[in-house]
Amino acid sequence: MTKSSPFRHAWILVLIVAVLAPMLVSSYNLNLLGRFLSMAILAVGIVLIWGEAGILTLGQGVFFGLGGYSIAMYLKLSTLPEGSLPDFMEWSGVMALPWFWWPFKSGLLALLAIILVPAVFAGIFAWAMFRRRIAGVYFALITQAVALTFATLLTSQQSTTGGYNGLTGFTEAFGMPLGTDQANRTLYWITLAVLVAVFAGSKWLMATRYGTLLRATRDGENRVRFLGYNTTPYKVVAFMLAAVFASLGGALFTLHAGVVSPAFVGVVPSIEMIVWVAVGGRKSLWGAVAGALIVNFAKDIISSALPEAWLYVLGLIFILVVTYLPNGLAGLVEDLLAKSRRPAAPEGALVEEGK
Amino acid sequence: MTMATATADPILKVDGITVDFDGFKAIDNFSMTLERGQLRVLIGPNGAGKSTLCDTIIGRVHSASGSVTFNGENITNKPEFEIVRRGICRKFQTPGVLPSLTVRDNLAVAAQRDRRWWTAFQIGAKAAEARKVEDILEQIGLTERADTLAADLAHGEKQWLEIGMVVATEADLLLLDEPTAGMGPNETSKTAKLIHSLLGKHAVLVIDHDMTFVEELGGKVTVMHQGKFLKQGSVAEVRADPEVAAVYLGRAKE
Ligand SMILES: Nc1ncnc2c1ncn2[C@@H]1O[C@H](COP(=O)(O)OP(=O)(O)OP(=O)(O)O)[C@@H](O)[C@H]1O
Ligand SMILES: [Mg+2]
């Protein structure tokens, strides 16, 4: 987490390059970058919940999906002629708009839903879990079950959710025609701005007493309890923030990709999200952003060359990182910098639960 | 019992506590009274139930019968954080420091009075609490090590840090479970001095096996055996007691 001196101002350079990216790369690559930066927003949330609070969650796809479907429902409805239904509903013989689509007629409500729906759902879920002290592997498995359920539900309700194919065919967003270079640039900058805000907010949060308490809870929840803290709300807030970040990422991703489907919300994508952060380094915000970009560019290259190979490569990456780089690339960089500055610094703290 | 046990205003009264682990009575109708600002040493062979007694006082283990009264209030089987907020803090048998936090942050977490989550979104501790942390660093001799990660401390230093954390809570009653475990003679006597410096402001219950340390501490000693009260008195009295000797010798023979 400590920024090493030679790179203290490197972020300014990175930010300038990022802002100028639309002038530097092809529109195809800019679109990819926009998608991956959206994923990086989600990755920052994983640093909070997994890196800082030490809670492994395998259900971030659910929140990514909540954001993605919220914006997609609005996009479908906003360009619809009065009185007609989204195309896939008409094909499946649905006569009236289902109730849960109604709020998404309004752009404002859709934007609110992107934040409030995951926050409320994550809040209730996490409170119920953490209050009963469900933690560790059990918690991870339950979140995985939620991801599975959500993806199955979306697939099975073909007539109201678009089923396996999801929602696609968007033409404009908030009055802006989609697919033009102008629109891609604007979306890219919005995504970058959201990422910067989420990143800076998280950095601040990690420096507050709340951040210290979260790390303390990760290190020894019992010790913290016996110092008189009720640890549940601290963890619930972290889970809610991670959910909201995932949802923001999902909404922006959907705008860049032009599609949202169950393929982005289920068990496998939820695990992939953890892999991005494991590769980058779960205790580092920079690491998580880098991890999301590196793994996804790798995925893009590998799966266009060898479509079948990606899942094996992903598994291999995960095993290698967990075995050799417990703190990911960020940990590696930090170790190398520490070594170059002074001989052999002591290894960082291991996470262990106090008795 | 040669010493007067009843003072007008005891800080803690344990009355007829029984703890039952699936039929095994780890504590069996045990009673004890602690006086405000005073030292008490609790000894007993392995498995006597000393740690379990701490667990019960602090709300980590629920008792089947009996009551715990703290500052005149019945706190039996309340949730642990509520008991802690009333002013009891415990050091665990295995050091419970927070490894990835610095020594100073460990103390700051303990020293923080306002533990409500929604007030935590601020950087830095309150001035008074920060000052207290520096004082405690001094007291436990870790000022030089303040910015070290707790994981990098030596074993003895971890024990002191955890004592410091317990002190930082400003609890009226401190429960120290084997504070000298794994320490050499020098560190042990340093710990005894540290504990003496806490008395008056805090009542302290120390659990230990090490008779040299117990002698160095002085004060009143309660002996526990197989979950039951066995004896109470000065170190010398307890030492001379044939029943206590039998319990410890019995263990030595095993
Ligand atoms: N959760 C539990 N379930 C079942 N038995 C337990 C449990 N905790 C403790 N015991 C048993 O209760 C008895 C008392 O244990 P306790 O840890 O309180 O002893 P102690 O006096 O602290 O011993 P030591 O000096 O070794 O620390 C032991 O026989 C132990 O095995
Ligand atoms: Mg014990």
Side-chain angles (χ1 to χ4, degrees):
Chain A
M1 256 160 288
T2 40
K3 202 84 66 57
S4 12
S5 44
F7 293 100
R8 192 178 300 153
H9 298 296
W11 67 271
I12 300 175
L13 196 68
V14 173
L15 194 58
I16 291 172
V17 172
V19 170
L20 296 180
M23 289 82 195
L24 303 175
V25 301
S26 70
S27 65
Y28 174 78
N29 280 325
L30 186 69
N31 182 269
L32 282 188
L33 196 56
R35 294 183 197 196
F36 301 162
L37 288 183
S38 310
M39 290 160 156
I41 294 170
L42 175 144
V44 168
I46 294 181
V47 172
L48 288 184
I49 189 70
W50 188 33
E52 293 289 285
I55 299 166
L56 177 62
T57 165
L58 299 176
Q60 287 311 85
V62 171
F63 302 112
F64 190 81
L66 286 176
Y69 274 89
S70 293
I71 195 82
M73 284 153 86
Y74 161 73
L75 295 176
K76 288 300 276 183
L77 294 181
S78 66
T79 51
L80 225 51
E82 195 58 40
S84 56
L85 292 177
D87 41 16
F88 69 91
M89 287 189 195
E90 298 194 332
W91 299 333
S92 8
V94 173
M95 304 309 292
L97 197 65
W99 60 268
F100 62 88
W101 278 75
W102 294 344
F104 298 95
K105 287 178 182 166
S106 150
L108 183 66
L109 285 183
L111 290 180
L112 281 177
I114 290 167
I115 292 172
L116 293 182
V117 172
V120 169
F121 178 68
I124 293 172
F125 175 80
W127 187 75
M129 292 290 139
F130 298 148
R131 198 179 51 106
R132 297 166 64 193
R133 305 201 176 168
I134 294 171
V137 179
Y138 296 101
F139 182 78
L141 287 177
I142 293 170
T143 55
Q144 185 162 60
V146 173
L148 183 65
T149 310
F150 189 53
T152 310
L153 192 72
L154 287 171
T155 314
S156 65
Q157 302 300 309
Q158 155 73 34
S159 59
T160 54
T161 63
Y164 184 76
N165 298 319
L167 303 177
T168 187
F170 316 130
T171 49
E172 59 168 75
F174 303 95
M176 177 179 73
L178 289 171
T180 65
D181 278 356
Q182 173 64 40
N184 287 344
R185 271 199 298 273
T186 309
L187 277 180
Y188 171 82
W189 279 319
I190 290 173
T191 307
L192 184 63
V194 173
L195 176 60
V196 168
V198 158
F199 189 104
S202 299
K203 198 152 183 67
W204 172 80
L205 196 66
M206 282 158 66
T208 62
R209 298 204 299 253
Y210 171 84
T212 308
L213 235 298
L214 214 50
R215 286 189 291 281
T217 305
R218 174 190 73 196
D219 279 7
E221 184 161 12
N222 266 327
R223 176 72 272 177
V224 177
R225 280 207 192 102
F226 287 108
L227 290 172
Y229 290 90
N230 180 5
T231 53
T232 304
Y234 288 89
K235 297 198 291 180
V236 169
V237 169
F239 192 78
M240 287 170 73
L241 285 172
V244 170
F245 293 178
S247 180
L248 287 171
L252 289 162
F253 178 89
T254 302
L255 285 166
H256 286 288
V259 58
V260 64
S261 84
F264 300 113
V265 310
V267 171
V268 173
S270 296
I271 292 174
E272 277 192 67
M273 292 163 186
I274 294 297
V275 177
W276 309 337
V277 178
V279 168
R282 67 181 170 121
K283 293 187 180 160
S284 158
L285 293 170
W286 281 110
V289 172
L293 295 180
I294 291 169
V295 176
N296 281 298
F297 272 112
K299 179 181 181 176
D300 187 67
I301 293 164
I302 292 168
S303 48
S304 56
L306 291 163
E308 307 295 307
W310 172 244
L311 274 185
Y312 297 103
V313 175
L314 185 74
L316 189 66
I317 294 176
F318 192 56
I319 291 169
L320 288 178
V321 166
V322 168
T323 318
Y324 296 106
L325 291 178
N327 288 321
L329 294 173
L332 182 71
V333 170
E334 225 166 77
D335 284 355
L336 291 177
L337 286 173
K339 254 184 215 134
S340 72
R341 257 178 294 135
R342 62 199 131 82
E347 188 35 38
L350 285 173
V351 182
E352 55 189 88
E353 173 80 336
K355 189 184 171 190
Chain B
M1 231 176 286
T2 47
M3 278 191 202
T5 35
T7 40
D9 177 27
I11 189 162
L12 184 86
K13 255 180 88 175
V14 174
D15 196 5
I17 283 287
T18 297
V19 172
D20 195 317
F21 290 123
D22 302 319
F24 168 69
K25 284 187 176 158
I27 301 183
D28 191 358
N29 194 19
F30 184 86
S31 303
M32 176 170 76
T33 307
L34 302 186
E35 298 90 26
R36 202 167 290 281
Q38 305 262 307
L39 172 69
R40 176 69 59 89
V41 184
L42 180 63
I43 62 170
N46 286 104
K50 308 179 296 292
S51 298
T52 308
L53 180 67
C54 280
D55 285 336
T56 315
I57 294 171
I58 204 85
R60 193 186 190 199
V61 161
H62 284 191
S63 57
S65 63
S67 69
V68 182
T69 313
F70 178 67
N71 274 333
E73 187 187 0
N74 185 347
I75 56 161
T76 322
N77 299 344
K78 277 202 190 314
E80 56 255 59
F81 67 89
E82 285 198 19
I83 293 177
V84 173
R85 285 177 188 180
R86 282 170 171 73
I88 306 182
C89 197
R90 160 183 196 177
K91 187 198 122 11
F92 288 96
Q93 194 163 343
T94 46
V97 296
L98 306 164
S100 68
L101 269 54
T102 61
V103 169
R104 183 180 278 115
D105 278 348
N106 267 272
L107 292 172
V109 166
Q112 198 172 300
R113 285 278 69 76
D114 186 350
R115 301 173 180 113
R116 296 166 307 176
W117 65 273
W118 65 87
T119 59
F121 298 100
Q122 293 168 43
I123 294 179
K126 294 211 174 69
E129 285 166 8
R131 229 173 301 121
K132 189 168 70 187
V133 166
E134 298 307 315
D135 289 347
I136 293 172
L137 278 170
E138 190 84 23
Q139 195 174 12
I140 59 177
L142 293 180
T143 307
E144 311 274 274
R145 308 279 272 153
D147 296 312
T148 312
L149 293 183
D152 299 335
L153 292 180
H155 185 79
E157 291 174 318
K158 282 185 188 160
Q159 297 272 25
W160 294 327
L161 173 57
E162 199 181 0
I163 295 175
M165 289 165 74
V166 170
V167 172
T169 62
E170 289 188 334
D172 295 330
L173 172 60
L174 313 182
L175 311 176
L176 306 181
D177 198 347
E178 308 210 7
T180 63
M183 283 188 183
N186 268 341
E187 290 177 316
T188 302
S189 74
K190 210 175 145 186
T191 309
K193 287 200 191 77
L194 173 58
I195 290 172
H196 278 141
S197 74
L198 306 175
L199 300 176
K201 205 170 167 217
H202 313 268
V204 183
L205 176 69
V206 178
I207 294 177
D208 224 292
H209 296 285
D210 179 357
M211 282 312 281
T212 13
F213 175 61
V214 172
E215 250 158 41
E216 211 167 342
L217 277 176
K220 199 193 282 183
V221 180
T222 302
V223 188
M224 196 176 188
H225 177 50
Q226 293 179 346
K228 294 194 189 70
F229 176 93
L230 187 68
K231 269 276 146 16
Q232 183 157 297
S234 69
V235 183
E237 284 166 339
V238 164
R239 263 231 137 146
D241 190 282
E243 250 186 295
V244 175
V247 163
Y248 271 89
L249 283 177
R251 183 179 62 119
K253 261 187 269 165
E254 274 167 22

